[in-house]
Amino acid sequence: MTIFVSSSVQVVSGNNCIRFAVSCDLCKKFDGDVYLTARNDDRCKEAVKLIEGEGLKITMSSTKVAVVSGGNKGIGLAIVRALCKKFDGDVYLTSRDSGRGQEGLKQIQSEGLGKVKYHQLDIDDVGSITKLKDDMLAGYGGIDVLINNAGIAYKVEDTAPFSEQAKVTVKTNFFGTLQASKILLPIIKPKGRVVNVSSMLSPMTLKKCSPDLQAVFRSGTITENQLIDKMNEFVQYAQEGTHQQHGYPDTSYGMSKIGVTVMSRIHARWLREQGKNDILLNACCPGWVRTDMAGPKAPKSPDEGAETPVYLALLPEGATEPHGQFVSDKKVQEW
């Protein structure tokens, strides 16, 4: 048997680690291997030395982990497939619906890619996101690669009122992604990578906004609260049918992806302010991809659509750029 213990409890007072009382007790009593996990490798090594200094046996778990939201189909499934081939660690396929997630898991496993695992994740549900966070901390000490891919889009022929489409689309694509990011960003490990899947419609929609709104969304000092206010403002005006009069374009999906791109710029700035200079965070456009969402006429296959997100997820250690950028076809695009 094997047991994992999260060392999210910090090492304190230099040579005292609260004894990791649980860890030490398990080392004495548990008939199996005990692994200690931590977000910071140096602190984990220090804790292991302290526990070993008491004549106890414990192993540091250094397995890396990547998490992909919305990974059960389309671009998300293709991202999972590519990471299973290229990423040196465990890859978690996550989905809102567990049944569909298990189907995606079986498909990847049937291709001989054995290091894929499954975890339920609904980005509209705080409890679901928190459960993922807790499990990643316990099993891996945090997350090495996070790809926020989950999202929704109404079909062109959908007859739902624009007011409804705006509310529902922005709720998941922007606010859901924001919620997941705020909960999971603090547990991204040093040298980690975060990729927010946006869309080519993001810069296209930006150009359709009024000059004043363009200036706000392009600002290098816009805050998260200011962005939230603008997203809520768009939804409110959409309910009233006056969004275009107030400078917002007639696309709920495009507006939601402006939110994702600008959020990425804000969070990248926050990482630097926190001194987390070895973590890289970017937004990207996978391109027009043949999926249920984009339709069969798109020129790219899902595997081709996964190339840019995976490129950003696997930026080499020591890289400092791109960071806080909007990337398409592996190239930084002007915002």
Side-chain angles (χ1 to χ4, degrees), residues 53-65:
E54 304 227 343
L56 302 172
K57 182 180 179 181
I58 192 166
T59 303
M60 174 179 166
S61 173
S62 57
T63 302
K64 293 184 177 181
V65 63

Side-chain angles (χ1 to χ4, degrees), residues 198-234:
S198 185
S199 169
M200 58 186 171
L201 288 179
S202 177
M204 292 170 63
T205 301
L206 178 64
K207 293 175 182 178
K208 296 179 181 179
C209 291
S210 68
D212 286 347
L213 285 174
Q214 288 187 41
V216 170
F217 292 135
R218 287 191 170 112
S219 170
T221 58
I222 183 174
T223 66
E224 188 177 283
N225 285 337
Q226 289 171 333
L227 176 60
I228 289 171
D229 287 344
K230 288 302 177 185
M231 291 294 108
N232 280 327
E233 185 178 83
F234 165 69

Side-chain angles (χ1 to χ4, degrees), residues 11-26:
V11 174
V12 296
S13 302
N15 63 349
N16 177 18
C17 73
I18 308 184
R19 280 310 159 215
F20 282 18
V22 174
S23 304
C24 289
D25 202 40
L26 284 169

